[in-house]
């Protein structure tokens, strides 16, 4: 599944960034971003086709070392997901032309980065493969059609 990711957080911005849809801009919040605090360098954003924050949307972590500015867009292939009990799941994407097809194919360093981002997994939570990610995406779009 290929989608457009809109970048909302990078390591260049230690503070949590908030998207302002009316002006297509970002403002810095008073708290530090989780990625920054846990030293996870991969960019974070949302699937543009799913909606726009603060409304309903799907979040995505992009497994790349490529540098981005806030608001940049990138075509990504979804390969996995971190399922959360609160329903605020985090999709895992790679660049559209990547050879990686599934979460299981990520390098050990990439998996370690993701486990550092969400080190605690309550019952029912965890990192899952592309099949589960695709199911979550299909359910989201069915509900928000």
């Amino acid at each position: 599944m290929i989608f457009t990711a809109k970048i909302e957080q990078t390591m260049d911005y230690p503070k949590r960034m908030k998207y302002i849809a009316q002006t297509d801009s970002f403002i810095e919040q008073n708290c530090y971003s989780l990625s920054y605090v846990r030293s996870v360098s991969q960019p974070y954003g949302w699937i543009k086709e799913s909606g726009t924050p603060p409304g309903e949307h799907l979040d995505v972590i992009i497994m790349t070392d490529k540098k981005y500015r806030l608001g940049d867009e990138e075509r990504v292939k979804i390969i996995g997901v971190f399922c959360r009990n609160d329903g605020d799941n985090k999709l895992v994407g790679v660049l559209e032309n990547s050879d990686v097809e599934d979460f299981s194919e990520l390098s050990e360093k990439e998996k370690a980065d993701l486990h550092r981002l969400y080190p605690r997994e309550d019952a029912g939570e965890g990192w899952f493969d592309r099949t589960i990610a695709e199911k979550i995406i299909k359910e989201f779009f069915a509900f928000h059609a």
Side-chain angles (χ1 to χ4, degrees):
M1 300 179 112
I2 307 291
F3 294 98
T4 305
K6 186 152 181 154
I7 306 302
E8 106 181 85
Q9 195 73 53
T10 72
M11 285 297 283
D12 292 335
Y13 299 88
K15 298 288 184 146
R16 178 82 172 102
M17 302 305 291
K18 179 180 178 182
Y19 182 64
I20 308 302
Q22 297 83 351
T23 57
D24 190 30
S25 62
F26 297 84
I27 58 172
E28 188 176 272
Q29 301 294 282
N30 291 329
C31 58
Y32 286 98
S33 79
L34 190 59
S35 296
Y36 182 79
V37 169
R38 297 191 178 156
S39 298
V40 177
S41 63
Q42 289 85 1
Y44 175 88
W46 73 90
I47 299 297
K48 193 173 173 184
E49 295 87 349
S50 70
T52 304
E56 293 287 325
H57 64 281
L58 293 168
D59 294 323
V60 63
I61 302 160
I62 307 169
M63 302 310 294
T64 182
D65 293 328
K66 187 175 174 181
K67 299 296 179 195
Y68 295 94
R69 292 184 317 255
L70 299 181
D72 283 352
E73 295 180 6
E74 183 72 73
R75 298 288 289 167
V76 297
K77 176 173 35 177
I78 303 304
I79 61 160
V81 63
F82 182 78
C83 291
R84 293 174 39 155
N85 286 334
D86 66 2
D88 190 16
N89 303 314
K90 308 301 178 189
L91 297 171
V92 179
V94 294
L95 301 183
E96 178 180 30
N97 61 356
S98 172
D99 292 334
V100 174
E101 296 291 331
D102 190 79
F103 184 86
S104 63
E105 298 173 28
L106 292 175
S107 71
E108 291 307 313
K109 180 199 175 302
E110 290 170 320
K111 289 178 186 174
D113 286 346
L114 291 173
H115 285 287
R116 198 168 53 256
L117 186 60
Y118 293 108
R120 186 170 151 237
E121 297 175 14
D122 291 332
E125 294 184 330
W127 296 99
F128 296 95
D129 64 14
R130 186 184 76 209
T131 304
I132 301 300
E134 289 176 352
K135 180 179 179 219
I136 287 169
I137 292 167
K138 286 177 184 172
E139 288 174 359
F140 178 90
F141 282 110
F143 186 75
H144 296 89

